[in-house]
């Protein structure tokens, strides 16, 4: 253990974190495949299919936010497993339904279950002894496993019949059940100052950490806006790539797939950069890189610029995500702050494509590129402030060390 005194990031703990975060955010990451399945099965219009998808995503986001406080206390494994059970029922229901109304209800149930898993798993990141390493390893694992699910779900639908992809997700919930046993648990309730000689004095670092576990509305809104911008841009990246650069559908898909894999470098470089440049400067650099790359990706008509921008954008995005999770974990070791930010991000993910689509239709790609770049910078301001606070907390917890802001 280091100064944080958390759970060592062994193999079992890493697997539990990857399994929990992957499934908890699985609805959002695998949603394009889900939409294709139930839109085909029930001959749904684009708007109706979008409504079903939004039902699931919003359920996940709302439940994650509501359970963020609960996830900060002991009992995370039980909470995550309960979420898995509810999700499994929802996935089975989504595979077996025969009408649209029941399909919506099934997605509501599975979305709520995934929210419980997501809250528990993201909060557990803060219980490890190295928040930067835990965040990087978890995000890398999530990207890899999600790629397998994106390939596996449509294969199941094709080989076993429509709806089989939801059965595959139900099986994943069963597989994850024993893996989540190693999920780091929440801390016990704090001892009141004055009743124990080791209790923190008022104004100490621990007291500031307790206050930081209650995120401000500005911080939650900023996080939601950042991921609304990110998910919205990602949702239209393929369409814009084909329309603006003249690349084929397969070529654009290959570029986006390669950028997603190469982006893993960003997840690993983020913590290293934070240690050498300081959390504030590192985070600000990657945010600016993400904003510029996103604007170029949307606006450019050159295939080479599009490819380079896609790779840089995804790399910077993962670097920002890893540092955001690590900063929140350092600031609040209970995990409530991480879970709250994850819920706000999930909420932004759900509304992002609708908002970006409206701007694209109403104003065009040129205006959209400016809006998204500006939105990225604006949304990141509360996160940058949080990053500064986490640097001060980390420095205060290690005597003799100068905080790296």
């Amino acid at each position: 253990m280091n100064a944080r005194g958390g759970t060592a990031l062994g193999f079992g703990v890493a697997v539990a974190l990857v399994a929990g975060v992957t499934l908890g955010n699985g609805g959002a990451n695998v949603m394009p495949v889900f939409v294709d399945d139930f839109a085909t099965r029930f001959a749904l219009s684009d708007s109706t299919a979008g409504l079903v998808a939004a039902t699931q995503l919003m359920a996940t986001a709302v439940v994650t936010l509501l359970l963020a406080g609960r996830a900060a206390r002991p009992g995370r494994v039980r909470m995550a497993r309960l979420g898995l059970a509810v999700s499994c029922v929802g996935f089975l229901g989504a595979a077996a339904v025969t009408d649209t109304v029941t399909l919506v209800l099934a997605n509501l149930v599975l979305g709520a279950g995934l929210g419980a898993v997501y809250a528990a798993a993201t909060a557990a990141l803060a219980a490890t002894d190295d928040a930067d390493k835990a965040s990087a390893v978890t995000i890398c694992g999530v990207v890899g496993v999600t790629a397998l699910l994106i390939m596996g779900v449509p294969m199941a639908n094709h080989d076993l019949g429509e709806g089989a992809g939801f059965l595959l997700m139900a099986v994943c919930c069963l597989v994850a059940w024993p893996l989540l046993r190693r999920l780091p648990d929440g801390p016990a309730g704090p001892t009141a100052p004055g009743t124990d000689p080791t209790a923190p004095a008022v104004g100490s670092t621990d007291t500031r950490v307790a206050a930081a576990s209650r995120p401000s509305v500005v911080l939650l809104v900023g996080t939601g806006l950042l991921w609304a911008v990110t998910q919205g841009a990602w949702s239209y990246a393929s369409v814009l790539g084909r329309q603006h650069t003249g690349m084929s559908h397969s070529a654009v898909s290959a570029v986006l797939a390669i950028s997603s894999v190469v982006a893993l470098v960003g997840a690993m470089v983020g913590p290293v950069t934070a240690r050498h440049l300081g959390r504030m400067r590192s985070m600000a650099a990657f945010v600016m890189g993400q904003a510029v790359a996103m604007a170029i990706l949307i606006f450019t008509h050159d295939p080479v610029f599009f490819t380079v921008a896609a790779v840089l954008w995804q790399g910077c995005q993962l670097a920002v995500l890893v540092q955001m999770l690590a900063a929140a974990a350092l600031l609040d070791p209970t995990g409530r702050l991480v879970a709250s930010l994850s819920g706000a991000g999930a909420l932004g993910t759900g509304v992002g494509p609708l908002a970006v689509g409206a701007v694209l239709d109403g104003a065009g790609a040129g205006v959209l590129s400016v809006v998204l770049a500006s939105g990225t910078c604006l949304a990141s301001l509360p996160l940058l402030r949080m990053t500064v606070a986490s640097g001060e907390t980390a420095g205060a917890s290690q005597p003799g060390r100068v905080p790296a802001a």
Side-chain angles (χ1 to χ4, degrees):
M1 287 187 187
N2 67 359
R4 297 183 75 239
T7 302
L9 187 66
F11 179 76
V13 173
V15 169
L17 290 171
V18 170
V21 176
T22 299
L23 283 176
N25 202 34
N29 290 335
V30 192
M31 185 54 71
V33 180
F34 288 159
V35 170
D36 185 50
D37 171 64
F38 52 67
T40 302
R41 266 200 292 162
F42 297 95
L44 303 179
S45 65
D46 290 340
S47 59
T48 304
L51 175 62
V52 177
T55 299
Q56 182 191 137
L57 295 175
M58 294 300 288
T60 300
V62 170
V63 171
T64 302
L65 284 170
L66 291 177
L67 294 182
R70 174 63 187 86
R73 303 195 299 271
R76 284 186 189 136
V77 173
R78 184 169 61 252
M79 175 180 167
R81 284 179 165 176
L82 177 60
L84 285 178
V86 173
S87 300
C88 189
V89 171
F91 280 124
L92 292 174
V97 296
T98 57
D99 62 273
T100 306
V101 174
T102 312
L103 176 66
V104 172
L105 293 176
N107 275 271
L108 183 63
V109 170
L110 75 88
L114 294 179
V117 177
Y118 199 40
T122 52
L125 285 169
T128 60
D129 60 355
D130 189 334
D132 289 288
K133 182 179 179 180
S135 300
V137 169
T138 300
I139 295 304
C140 288
V142 168
V143 170
V145 177
T146 299
L148 295 177
L149 290 176
I150 290 176
M151 292 186 294
V153 169
M155 287 178 61
N157 289 331
H158 181 269
D159 297 339
L160 302 178
E162 295 176 341
F166 286 104
L167 292 178
L168 176 61
M169 295 300 295
V171 171
C172 290
C173 290
L174 296 178
V175 172
W177 182 277
L179 300 179
L180 293 187
R181 179 177 60 86
R182 298 295 302 276
L183 205 64
D185 207 355
T191 304
T195 62
D196 188 302
T198 62
V202 176
S204 69
T205 300
D206 288 349
T207 302
R208 293 196 301 271
V209 166
S213 67
R214 297 183 293 275
S216 67
V217 174
V218 174
L219 180 58
L220 293 177
V221 170
T223 304
L225 177 59
L226 179 62
W227 295 110
V229 167
T230 301
Q231 184 63 37
W234 179 255
S235 299
Y236 288 91
S238 179
V239 174
L240 292 172
R242 287 187 290 107
Q243 292 179 348
H244 289 183
T245 67
M247 299 169 68
S248 66
H249 178 79
S250 58
V252 174
S253 297
V255 168
L256 297 181
I258 292 172
S259 70
S260 297
V261 175
V262 177
L264 293 175
V265 176
M268 303 306 296
V269 169
V272 176
T273 307
R275 284 195 294 269
H276 286 82
L277 298 181
R279 294 187 180 278
M280 172 64 175
R281 286 187 290 273
S282 174
M283 184 80 158
F286 283 115
V287 166
M288 290 301 300
Q290 179 180 347
V292 172
M294 184 187 300
I296 295 175
L297 179 97
I298 294 171
F299 187 72
T300 186
H301 291 263
D302 187 291
V304 176
F305 283 169
F306 181 87
T307 302
V308 173
V311 172
L312 290 177
W313 174 35
Q314 290 298 291
C316 290
Q317 177 193 336
L318 281 193
V320 170
L321 175 58
V322 167
Q323 292 188 81
M324 180 188 79
L325 294 175
L330 286 169
L331 197 58
D332 172 26
T334 70
R336 179 178 181 180
L337 181 57
V338 181
S340 297
L341 295 184
S342 299
L347 194 61
T349 296
V351 303
L354 296 175
V356 169
V359 175
L360 184 61
D361 289 340
V367 173
L368 179 63
S369 64
V370 176
V371 170
L372 293 185
S374 302
T376 298
C377 296
L378 179 63
S380 299
L381 293 178
L383 294 173
L384 290 173
R385 182 178 180 183
M386 180 190 72
T387 301
V388 173
S390 72
E392 294 173 350
T393 299
S397 66
Q398 300 182 34
R401 178 183 171 185
V402 178

